[in-house]
């Protein structure tokens, strides 16, 4: 999906191809001019850094970003363009599609974007291929350690947790924990998305590492609960079905799909654990507009935080939001995505284990 007309994006991509890209016969593609820009601003701090970065970005005048978040298209990019007068072209797709496009272009010895925005495990894969430039700034130093990965300073979290239709079930009727959904009365009434194997691995880490449950006990609990699963495909479309009353509970839904004033849907009381997936934006090593890329990454961690919060995400820099009020209550048990595992071959093993659980097959844990 494109924020701007195809002709405009094609024009910007053509400019990107002429931006001093080196290693045209090698992989990964690296722009030596971009590397120098990144090094220059990494050594600077505060207002001096910001002012000089703005001047350099405005001189470039353009920016191409690949993103996964609709809030970037609809709110953040227009605000960024208005504030800095920099022309931005956007390609938006799923996390897998964004990663595939970046890798495909890099395989052809091209870098057609300046910034990539995606989730933790996908960014790790791009980092493993040497495509991501280190993002260094004094702003990054204010972000908590749990919001950072080896390749990314996270800008926000996607929270996964049960969401229910208040017309079909009242809070007092909800189980206090995951094991309670093994009750036969929930058969066919508890939706999970078939792609949420990362959530499944997060649950495993929570129950075994934090709660001391054995692998056998965890597997047995999940098998009992899974007998009641209604397996769905797609968080957006099935949240719509949840709201329409097709089923009462979406066990692995996303917090951002519950508007702050929603009448039919609720996540309260929030059932522990709430799993958090880190997402952020990184500059590309082969960027044709490196100063604009850095400026956007700065913006994403500061002014853009309010837009991310308004869209239902959990910001990593709430201090940048005047009057910030967290949506999830204090004392909630959070589990952070195990992005290292998910970006490795072990991630495939968890995907297979999740698929087996949904099909009623063994093994339901990686061998």
């Amino acid at each position: 999906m494109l924020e701007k007309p195809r002709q405009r994006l094609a024009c910007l991509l053509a400019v990107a191809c002429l931006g001093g890209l080196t290693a045209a016969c090698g992989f990964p593609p690296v722009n030596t001019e971009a590397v120098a820009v990144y090094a220059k601003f990494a050594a600077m701090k505060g207002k001096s850094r910001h002012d000089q970065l703005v001047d350099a970005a405005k001189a470039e005048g353009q920016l191409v970003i690949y993103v996964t978040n609709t809030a970037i298209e609809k709110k953040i990019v227009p605000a960024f363009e208005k504030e800095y007068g920099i022309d931005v072209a956007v390609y938006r797709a799923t996390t897998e599609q964004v990663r595939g496009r970046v890798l495909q272009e890099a395989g052809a010895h091209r870098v057609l974007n300046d910034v990539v925005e995606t989730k933790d495990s996908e960014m790790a894969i791009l980092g493993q291929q040497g495509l991501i430039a280190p993002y260094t700034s004094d702003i990054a130093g204010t972000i908590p350690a749990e919001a950072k990965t080896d390749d990314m300073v996270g800008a926000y979290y996607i929270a996964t947790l049960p969401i229910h239709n208040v017309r079909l079930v009242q809070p007092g009727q909800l189980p206090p924990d995951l094991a309670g959904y093994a009750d036969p009365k929930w058969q066919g009434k508890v939706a999970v998305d078939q792609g949420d194997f990362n959530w499944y691995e997060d649950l495993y880490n929570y129950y075994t590492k934090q709660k001391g449950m054995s692998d056998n006990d965890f597997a047995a609990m999940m098998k009992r609960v899974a007998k009641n699963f209604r397996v769905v495909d797609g968080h957006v479309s099935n949240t719509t079905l949840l709201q329409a009353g097709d089923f009462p509970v979406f066990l692995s839904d996303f917090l951002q799909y519950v508007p702050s004033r929603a009448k039919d849907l609720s996540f309260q009381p929030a059932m522990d654990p709430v799993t958090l997936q880190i997402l952020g934006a990184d500059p590309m090593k082969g960027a044709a507009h490196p100063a604009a890329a850095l400026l956007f990454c700065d913006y994403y961690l500061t002014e853009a935080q309010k837009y991310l919060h308004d869209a239902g995400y959990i910001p990593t820099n709430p201090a940048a939001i005047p009057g910030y009020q967290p949506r999830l209550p204090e004392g909630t048990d959070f589990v952070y995505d195990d992005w290292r595992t998910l970006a490795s071959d072990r991630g495939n093993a968890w995907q297979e284990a999740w698929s087996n659980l949904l099909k009623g097959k063994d093994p339901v844990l990686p061998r």
Side-chain angles (χ1 to χ4, degrees):
M1 297 183 66
L2 302 179
E3 167 66 16
K4 304 297 179 185
R6 290 183 181 273
Q7 294 89 343
R8 180 177 171 194
L9 179 60
C11 179
L12 290 182
L13 296 183
V15 172
C17 292
L18 300 175
L21 196 66
T22 62
C25 298
F27 185 92
V30 176
N31 183 344
T32 55
E33 295 176 9
V35 172
V37 169
Y38 296 147
K40 171 186 174 181
F41 287 105
M44 301 175 66
K45 294 183 179 180
K47 188 176 185 302
S48 175
R49 175 189 183 277
H50 176 74
D51 291 347
Q52 292 188 51
L53 182 58
V54 170
D55 289 343
K58 286 184 175 181
E60 292 173 351
Q62 297 172 333
L63 180 67
V64 180
I65 61 176
Y66 292 177
V67 305
T68 64
N69 190 328
T70 56
I72 300 177
E73 276 190 302
K74 296 179 179 179
K75 298 289 185 179
I76 296 173
V77 162
F80 179 83
E81 287 182 314
K82 182 178 180 180
E83 181 163 349
Y84 295 112
I86 296 171
D87 204 18
V88 182
V90 180
Y91 166 78
R92 186 182 69 81
T94 67
T95 56
E96 293 82 3
Q97 289 169 336
V98 166
R99 180 243 299 161
R101 179 166 180 152
V102 171
L103 291 177
Q104 183 179 35
E105 290 170 352
H109 316 302
R110 300 183 299 168
V111 175
L112 303 184
N113 63 311
D114 303 301
V115 172
V116 59
E117 185 273 344
T118 189
K119 65 182 180 180
D120 43 20
S121 56
E122 298 288 356
M123 198 73 83
I125 292 171
L126 298 179
Q128 290 166 4
Q129 298 300 318
L131 298 171
I132 304 300
Y135 169 72
T136 304
S137 72
D138 44 353
I139 301 168
T142 68
I143 306 302
E146 59 267 21
K148 299 175 182 177
T149 73
D150 291 347
D151 303 286
M152 176 179 67
V153 178
Y156 66 99
Y157 302 106
I158 287 179
T160 303
L161 75 173
I163 294 173
H164 64 276
N165 185 310
V166 300
R167 292 184 286 105
L168 301 181
V169 60
Q170 297 300 309
Q173 299 172 311
L174 296 169
D177 55 27
L178 184 62
Y181 283 104
D183 190 315
K185 71 180 181 181
W186 292 104
Q187 187 170 12
K189 299 179 180 179
V190 185
V192 293
D193 191 280
Q194 66 180 7
D196 284 341
F197 65 93
N198 60 310
W199 173 74
Y200 182 46
E201 197 232 356
D202 291 341
L203 291 179
Y204 169 81
N205 288 334
Y206 174 76
Y207 281 103
T208 61
K209 297 178 182 179
Q210 295 188 34
K211 296 299 181 181
M213 186 179 285
S214 70
D215 282 15
N216 288 339
D217 286 346
F218 175 78
M221 177 185 72
M222 292 306 304
K223 285 181 179 181
R224 291 192 298 269
V225 175
K227 289 180 180 179
N228 293 332
F229 282 170
R230 170 176 172 160
V231 182
V232 300
D233 183 16
H235 287 88
V236 175
S237 58
N238 283 283
T239 301
T240 301
L241 294 178
L242 172 69
Q243 190 166 18
D246 277 29
F247 48 89
V249 179
F250 196 159
L251 199 58
S252 63
D253 207 359
F254 294 156
L255 177 64
Q256 69 264 27
Y257 296 144
V258 183
S260 58
R261 297 183 180 180
K263 295 181 179 180
D264 297 327
L265 302 181
S266 178
F267 57 86
Q268 298 176 337
M271 187 188 79
D272 292 331
V274 174
T275 67
L276 299 179
Q277 190 174 77
I278 309 166
L279 293 92
D282 265 336
M284 299 290 293
K285 282 185 178 178
H289 311 105
L294 282 179
L295 184 61
F296 183 84
C297 291
D298 285 0
Y299 186 83
Y300 209 41
L301 293 173
T302 51
E303 289 97 326
Q305 292 284 289
K306 62 183 178 182
Y307 298 112
L308 293 166
H309 177 57
D310 291 346
Y313 303 100
I314 299 177
T316 62
N317 187 17
I321 305 173
Y324 172 74
Q325 294 292 327
R327 295 191 72 190
L328 292 171
E330 186 177 350
T332 301
D333 281 351
F334 293 116
V335 179
Y336 298 92
D337 234 17
D338 182 9
W339 54 270
R340 286 188 178 89
T341 295
L342 295 172
S344 69
D345 291 339
R346 191 73 170 164
N348 296 330
W350 274 105
Q351 187 171 14
E352 182 178 357
W354 174 240
S355 178
N356 286 344
L357 179 71
L358 300 183
K359 295 175 182 177
K361 296 168 51 178
D362 281 315
V364 298
L365 292 177
R367 298 183 185 277

